């Protein structure tokens, strides 16, 4: 593998929670990601009323943008703080609901009903819980997943996709021997073998 010493690196759930608690969230983009704007037409493909999934969503501003365009947004994030900050920063009222299928999980749903954010591990989700999606915005998710969990992650993502869905994936390219990650280096060859 050409991912160097990264293949055995594991970042724990506690480490991610700590990043949110200490504000060490350099991965969050206040203005949204420029590639989202650039490729939004590819994601939407002229369609309206889509269901779009945000894996490891944090407090991504793009969720609000898509909801404002009339799409339904579903996200998953382990940090409840991140989800609450999302609703607070956009002045969106929301309610909290338990997720009966997942012990300890909760869903934060906007009052308008078109944004549902699950607070749990992504690996606890399934299409029977969240349904299937017309689009996925994977910015900072595949590259944040521990390298040993990539196959499990992609297998789950594939089960969440409708037949004609669009999957926008952002990765980063660098020498993995010079940076331990995350974000992790995911070579294009691996993306092709993971997604087929």
């Amino acid at each position: 593998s050409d991912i160097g010493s990264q293949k055995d690196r594991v970042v724990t759930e506690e480490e991610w929670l700590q990043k949110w608690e200490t504000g060490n969230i350099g991965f969050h983009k206040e203005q949204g990601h420029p590639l989202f704007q650039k490729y939004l037409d590819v994601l939407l493909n002229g369609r309206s009323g889509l269901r779009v999934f945000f894996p490891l969503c944090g407090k991504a501003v793009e969720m609000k943008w898509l909801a404002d365009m009339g799409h339904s947004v579903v996200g998953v994030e382990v940090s409840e703080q991140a989800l609450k900050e999302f609703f607070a920063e956009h002045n969106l009222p929301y309610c909290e609901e338990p997720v009966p299928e997942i012990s300890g999980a909760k869903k934060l749903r906007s009052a308008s009903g078109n944004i549902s954010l699950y607070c749990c591990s992504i690996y606890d989700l399934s299409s029977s819980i969240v349904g299937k999606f017309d689009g996925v915005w994977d910015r900072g998710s595949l590259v944040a997943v521990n390298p040993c969990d990539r196959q499990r992650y992609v297998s789950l993502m594939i089960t969440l996709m409708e037949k004609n869905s669009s999957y926008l994936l952002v990765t980063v390219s660098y020498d993995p021997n010079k940076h331990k990650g995350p974000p992790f280096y995911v070579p294009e060859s691996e993306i092709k073998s993971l997604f087929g």
Side-chain angles (χ1 to χ4, degrees):
S1 167
D2 58 355
I3 60 170
S5 59
Q6 288 186 356
K7 73 177 168 44
D8 300 317
R9 173 118 158 86
V10 172
V11 182
T12 64
E13 193 172 289
E14 287 69 33
E15 287 175 81
W16 284 113
L17 292 172
Q18 185 71 29
K19 285 177 185 293
W20 281 101
E21 283 161 22
T22 59
N24 180 16
I25 54 168
F27 46 81
H28 175 67
K29 298 216 178 298
E30 293 285 341
Q31 308 304 318
H33 199 289
L35 290 173
F36 181 81
Q37 306 278 30
K38 184 173 179 182
Y39 292 103
L40 183 58
D41 291 346
V42 174
L43 182 68
L44 302 180
N45 194 18
R47 302 171 297 170
S48 57
L50 300 185
R51 293 190 80 233
V52 182
F53 186 55
F54 281 68
L56 314 188
C57 62
K59 56 179 183 175
V61 297
E62 294 92 337
M63 296 189 291
K64 171 85 165 58
W65 298 349
L66 282 175
D68 287 347
M69 291 177 192
H71 303 288
S72 292
V73 171
V74 175
V76 62
E77 169 60 52
V78 77
S79 168
E80 185 175 354
Q81 177 184 339
L83 300 181
K84 287 185 168 175
E85 285 179 14
F86 169 79
F87 287 108
E89 288 169 12
H90 295 286
N91 296 312
L92 290 172
Y94 68 95
C95 60
E96 289 185 25
E97 307 163 5
V99 182
E101 305 91 335
I102 307 171
S103 173
K106 60 174 75 168
K107 175 167 75 171
L108 282 61
R109 188 169 49 83
S110 63
S112 58
N114 60 350
I115 302 175
S116 295
L117 306 181
Y118 288 79
C119 186
C120 61
S121 164
I122 190 168
Y123 302 115
D124 290 333
L125 294 183
S126 66
S127 59
S128 64
I129 299 171
V130 294
K132 291 190 175 236
F133 299 94
D134 306 299
V136 176
W137 172 237
D138 186 332
R139 198 291 291 181
S141 190
L142 178 64
V143 296
V145 168
N146 291 321
C148 61
D149 290 329
R150 273 182 201 151
Q151 185 62 64
R152 178 184 182 198
Y153 171 83
V154 170
S155 297
L156 169 66
M157 296 306 288
I158 289 170
T159 68
L160 297 179
M161 295 169 68
E162 291 285 10
K163 288 275 182 279
N164 61 344
S165 66
S166 304
Y167 195 112
L168 288 189
L169 172 65
V170 178
T171 60
V172 286
S173 191
Y174 62 83
D175 179 348
N177 294 303
K178 295 192 170 132
H179 179 63
K180 66 183 174 132
F184 295 112
Y185 172 62
V186 188
E188 191 171 354
S189 57
E190 187 173 356
I191 292 167
K192 286 180 172 155
S193 68
L194 285 167
F195 284 97

